[in-house]
Amino acid sequence: MTFPSLTSFDDADLRGLGYRVLRVSVFDHWLSAEEAAECPVMNHALALRAGALDAYEAGEARFLALYDGMALTGVTDAQGPLCPATAARTIRDSLREVTLMDIRFPELALRAVGGWDRTDLLLLEPAADLDALTARIRRHGLFVLP
């Protein structure tokens, strides 16, 4: 699949583009507004100010391990293949909400779009193995949100 422009993150629109949609998070549920406001690890900058960088980085490490394990035969973006160092920087910057990623793991037929509040959007192409991906996410201590 190519990289159709994502003009909307509405699940129906994404399904209309041929994707199955997963939202993957360090949190085991969608946080309420109150929970989010009180969460010292909601983002990298907040964790740094709150002295909670170790806790933030533990969640970040789970995402990094997930994405590293998915980059079996490389990572691409809309311009083409990324070298491993560029892919790693793109992923880390996205996890820290510096610039959000929009990358593809060709071997897994999967597109990963960085998100806010420690939750990323995974777009599975028709050939993607949902069961294997869900098991991989769980193995890394992350959660698929409903």
Side-chain angles (χ1 to χ4, degrees), residues 38-97:
E38 294 174 7
C39 182
V41 294
M42 184 55 70
N43 61 54
H44 188 264
L46 180 60
L48 189 59
R49 285 193 306 271
L53 201 52
D54 287 345
Y56 178 90
E57 287 177 345
E60 180 180 81
R62 294 194 306 263
F63 264 115
L64 289 171
L66 171 69
Y67 290 135
D68 184 55
M70 292 183 351
L72 305 171
T73 59
V75 177
T76 64
D77 68 8
Q79 285 72 47
L82 299 176
C83 74
T86 300
R89 185 177 61 250
T90 298
I91 292 167
R92 185 174 303 274
D93 283 353
S94 184
L95 292 171
R96 294 183 179 182
E97 298 178 3

Side-chain angles (χ1 to χ4, degrees), residues 5-144:
S5 176
L6 297 179
T7 56
S8 169
F9 281 97
D10 178 84
D11 287 3
D13 293 339
L14 295 169
R15 283 191 292 274
L17 293 172
Y19 293 116
R20 289 177 284 165
V21 178
L22 292 181
R23 297 203 190 310
V24 177
S25 182
V26 296
F27 304 114
D28 65 356
H29 64 282
W30 288 105
L31 300 184
S32 68
E34 295 79 25
E35 288 173 310
E38 294 174 7
C39 182
V41 294
M42 184 55 70
N43 61 54
H44 188 264
L46 180 60
L48 189 59
R49 285 193 306 271
L53 201 52
D54 287 345
Y56 178 90
E57 287 177 345
E60 180 180 81
R62 294 194 306 263
F63 264 115
L64 289 171
L66 171 69
Y67 290 135
D68 184 55
M70 292 183 351
L72 305 171
T73 59
V75 177
T76 64
D77 68 8
Q79 285 72 47
L82 299 176
C83 74
T86 300
R89 185 177 61 250
T90 298
I91 292 167
R92 185 174 303 274
D93 283 353
S94 184
L95 292 171
R96 294 183 179 182
E97 298 178 3
V98 175
T99 56
L100 298 181
M101 68 183 168
D102 189 351
I103 59 176
R104 188 169 177 271
F105 298 92
E107 186 169 313
L108 300 176
L110 169 72
R111 183 174 173 181
V113 180
W116 303 102
D117 301 335
R118 319 236 25 221
T119 302
D120 283 353
L121 176 66
L122 300 186
L123 302 173
L124 288 71
E125 298 166 12
D129 185 339
L130 177 61
D131 294 334
L133 179 61
T134 302
R136 183 186 298 251
I137 291 165
R138 286 191 199 116
R139 266 195 317 274
H140 289 287
L142 297 167
F143 303 92
V144 175

